[in-house]
């Protein structure tokens, strides 16, 4: 089955293409061309002058549509994934907050089942914790937090095949051994919920930690101890050029001025956008999965307001915030939501850009950057066709 999308501004790796077309054959992009002549036998989609861009690659998301991935069930996973796909996400790495080993095993079994399905948007499991600095726990469940334990993580990675990313605080005893082991298994090691300073971060980078979890959140910046000043985790990560970062670009977790600073220093190639969304995202729900969490001012917080605890954002909101509030060019905002996370997670060979032979993951955005249509693996996502 052929589908041809015409009459839009197409974002390609070489820049914007006007008056061209994207030709989809089944679940792949057959061609991106500067010719918009109708192809015989193709179903024609008129983008009406809107933006045709790659689908979003979400690498840090806890839930949506009223369901949380910590539930571990197939029903919860499908509901949360479907909710985010309505907003332009076409690839997703479901994320667990600090969990028990039985919870991780249940979620891993569900992830592996969904990954095995044809054209699945689920690409792997992301474990945010539970090897974190208790002083930086934030919205994590403190009863689950501990130091890295090889008797836990080695069997888990030996028996599962879906864990693609695992976050930890590098200053903890055993964190370097943990980083070396998981990266030897092809798992992305990320620093998060940490008080690490430069030497910790430098050592961690050498041990395989190449990414930073929700940059600026749950990590210190420049600070003083008595009369002397010290670099924080933030400055340390800036100083290591090749470390990548992710930002919760809802305009609240990180203010627009700081989003612009991250973009200016780390650049498009090393910055990706995440929602860090909780179950209440993409839903009418006003309650979070975690009873300690409230929703206020368009964000999730601990009820005592001591910390932010996740967002209610969706992929389209990230792009709008970065463009409209942080004043970053649309093409760079889209790349940080698609290309960069795809590169970070090692799936850029098939995701993250509109190129011949890649998966047909496409979204159409109007001039106000609202989602008007989404294709995931060449199939129109139910409920997203708002072109007419």
């Amino acid at each position: 089955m052929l589908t041809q999308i015409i009459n839009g501004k197409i974002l390609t790796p070489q820049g914007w293409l006007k008056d061209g077309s994207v030709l989809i054959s089944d679940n792949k992009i057959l061609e991106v061309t500067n010719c918009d002549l109708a192809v015989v036998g193709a179903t024609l989609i008129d983008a009406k002058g809107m933006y045709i861009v790659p689908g979003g690659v979400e690498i840090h998301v806890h839930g949506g549509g009223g369901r949380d991935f910590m539930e571990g069930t197939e029903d919860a996973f499908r509901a949360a994934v479907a909710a985010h796909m309505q907003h332009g996400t076409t690839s997703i790495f479901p994320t667990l907050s600090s969990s028990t080993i039985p919870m991780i095993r249940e979620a891993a079994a569900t992830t592996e089942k969904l990954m095995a399905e044809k054209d699945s948007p689920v690409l792997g499991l992301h474990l945010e914790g539970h090897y974190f600095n208790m002083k930086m726990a934030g919205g994590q469940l403190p009863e689950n937090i501990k130091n890295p334990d090889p008797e836990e993580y080695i069997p888990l990675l030996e028996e599962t095949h879906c864990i693609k990313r695992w976050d930890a605080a590098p200053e903890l005893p055993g964190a370097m051994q943990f980083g070396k082991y998981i990266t030897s298994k092809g798992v992305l090691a990320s620093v998060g919920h940490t008080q690490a300073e430069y030497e910790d971060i430098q050592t961690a980078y050498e041990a395989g930690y190449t990414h930073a979890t929700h940059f600026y959140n749950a990590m210190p910046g420049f600070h003083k101890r008595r009369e002397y000043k010290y670099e924080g985790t933030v400055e340390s990560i800036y100083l290591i050029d090749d470390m990548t970062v992710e930002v919760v670009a809802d305009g609240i977790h990180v203010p627009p001025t700081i989003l612009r600073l991250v973009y200016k220093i780390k650049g498009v190639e090393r910055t990706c956008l995440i929602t860090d969304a909780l179950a209440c995202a993409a839903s009418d729900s006003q309650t979070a999965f975690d009873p300690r969490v409230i929703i206020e001012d368009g964000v999730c917080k601990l009820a005592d307001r001591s910390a932010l605890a996740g967002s209610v954002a969706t992929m389209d909101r990230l792009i709008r915030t970065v463009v409209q509030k942080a004043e970053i060019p649309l093409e760079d905002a889209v790349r940080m939501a698609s290309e960069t996370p795809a590169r970070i997670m090692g799936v850029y060979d098939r995701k993250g850009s509109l190129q011949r032979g890649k998966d047909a993951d496409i979204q159409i955005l109007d001039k106000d950057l609202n989602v008007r249509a989404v294709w995931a693996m060449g199939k129109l996502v139910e409920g997203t066709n708002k072109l007419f």
Side-chain angles (χ1 to χ4, degrees), residues 3 5 10-11 13 22-32 52-57 85 88-93 115 117-123 338-339 342 346-363 374-380:
T3 303
I5 309 173
I10 306 165
L11 183 61
V22 180
L23 194 62
I24 304 167
S25 176
D26 297 322
N27 60 4
K28 297 287 182 186
I29 296 173
L30 189 63
E31 197 65 78
V32 179
I52 305 167
V53 301
V57 178
M85 290 179 76
T89 295
T90 52
S91 300
I92 194 163
F93 290 84
M115 286 175 73
E117 294 178 356
K118 187 177 186 295
D119 297 341
S120 176
V122 177
L123 303 186
S338 54
E339 176 189 324
V347 296
Y348 187 65
D349 60 324
R350 60 191 194 276
K351 305 286 184 183
S353 64
L354 302 184
Q355 288 175 274
R356 180 180 186 174
K358 287 201 172 186
D359 293 341
D361 293 343
I362 302 164
Q363 53 178 328
V374 181
W375 289 263
M377 297 298 287
K379 295 183 182 69
L380 190 65

Side-chain angles (χ1 to χ4, degrees), residues 152-230:
E152 284 183 346
Y153 64 75
I154 291 175
L156 200 55
L157 288 182
E158 293 290 344
E159 70 192 46
T160 62
H161 306 286
C162 65
I163 297 168
K164 302 298 183 184
R165 169 180 166 187
W166 205 329
D167 310 350
E171 68 272 25
L172 298 179
M176 294 304 114
Q177 181 188 353
F178 171 72
K180 287 175 182 172
Y181 179 78
I182 69 169
T183 52
S184 76
K185 295 292 185 180
V187 177
L188 175 74
S190 183
V191 301
H193 292 266
T194 174
Q195 289 188 324
E197 293 179 356
Y198 184 71
E199 285 186 12
D200 298 315
I201 293 296
Q202 181 66 49
T203 306
Y205 178 70
E206 290 165 2
Y209 291 86
T210 58
H211 188 64
T213 303
H214 45 50
F215 193 44
Y216 275 91
N217 295 116
M219 60 182 64
F222 173 80
H223 56 281
K224 279 179 71 174
R225 287 198 293 272
R226 294 188 52 154
E227 71 270 41
Y228 295 112
K229 299 172 184 69
Y230 296 84

Side-chain angles (χ1 to χ4, degrees), residues 229-305:
K229 299 172 184 69
Y230 296 84
E231 76 291 338
T233 311
V234 168
E235 291 78 19
S236 304
I237 289 166
Y238 275 138
L239 283 169
I240 298 177
D241 291 341
D242 287 337
M243 276 197 84
T244 55
V245 301
E246 62 187 27
V247 283
V248 187
D250 60 357
I252 300 169
H253 275 76
V254 183
T257 48
I258 300 296
L259 289 174
R260 201 154 67 241
L261 178 65
V262 176
Y263 166 75
K264 187 173 184 178
I265 297 176
K266 278 295 183 183
V268 178
E269 288 83 6
R270 294 185 179 89
T271 307
C272 77
L273 310 183
I274 58 161
T275 61
D276 195 8
L278 300 193
C280 40
S283 80
D284 298 326
S285 172
Q286 289 303 305
T287 57
F289 178 71
D290 185 337
R292 304 171 304 147
V293 172
I294 60 170
I295 304 166
E296 185 179 75
D297 305 325
V299 72
C300 298
K301 308 174 182 179
L302 291 181
D304 65 2
R305 296 172 179 81

Side-chain angles (χ1 to χ4, degrees), residues 9-198:
K9 300 181 185 77
I10 306 165
L11 183 61
T12 74
Q14 292 75 39
W16 291 104
L17 182 62
K18 200 179 174 192
D19 301 325
S21 67
V22 180
L23 194 62
I24 304 167
S25 176
D26 297 322
N27 60 4
K28 297 287 182 186
I29 296 173
L30 189 63
E31 197 65 78
V32 179
T33 172
N34 58 6
C35 176
D36 61 359
L37 293 175
V39 172
V40 175
T43 301
L44 218 55
I45 305 288
D46 184 353
K48 301 186 175 176
M50 299 181 202
Y51 302 106
I52 305 167
V53 301
V57 178
E58 174 64 275
I59 70 171
H60 187 154
V61 55
H62 296 278
R67 305 302 296 270
D68 194 290
F69 293 120
M70 283 177 85
E71 295 177 59
T73 66
E74 193 178 326
D75 186 51
F77 269 62
R78 290 191 191 281
V81 169
H84 282 283
M85 290 179 76
Q86 297 276 325
H87 295 271
T89 295
T90 52
S91 300
I92 194 163
F93 290 84
T95 303
L96 299 189
S97 292
S98 294
S99 302
T100 64
I101 294 299
M103 289 169 72
I104 294 171
R105 283 198 167 101
E106 185 181 5
T110 300
T111 302
E112 289 184 350
K113 180 176 181 182
L114 296 188
M115 286 175 73
E117 294 178 356
K118 187 177 186 295
D119 297 341
S120 176
V122 177
L123 303 186
L125 189 63
H126 165 210
L127 302 181
E128 188 190 2
H130 49 289
Y131 305 138
F132 284 151
N133 188 320
M134 187 66 84
K135 292 177 182 173
M136 302 302 285
Q140 302 280 321
L141 290 168
E143 61 267 28
N144 292 339
I145 290 176
K146 59 183 291 191
N147 292 337
D149 181 355
E151 292 187 12
E152 284 183 346
Y153 64 75
I154 291 175
L156 200 55
L157 288 182
E158 293 290 344
E159 70 192 46
T160 62
H161 306 286
C162 65
I163 297 168
K164 302 298 183 184
R165 169 180 166 187
W166 205 329
D167 310 350
E171 68 272 25
L172 298 179
M176 294 304 114
Q177 181 188 353
F178 171 72
K180 287 175 182 172
Y181 179 78
I182 69 169
T183 52
S184 76
K185 295 292 185 180
V187 177
L188 175 74
S190 183
V191 301
H193 292 266
T194 174
Q195 289 188 324
E197 293 179 356
Y198 184 71

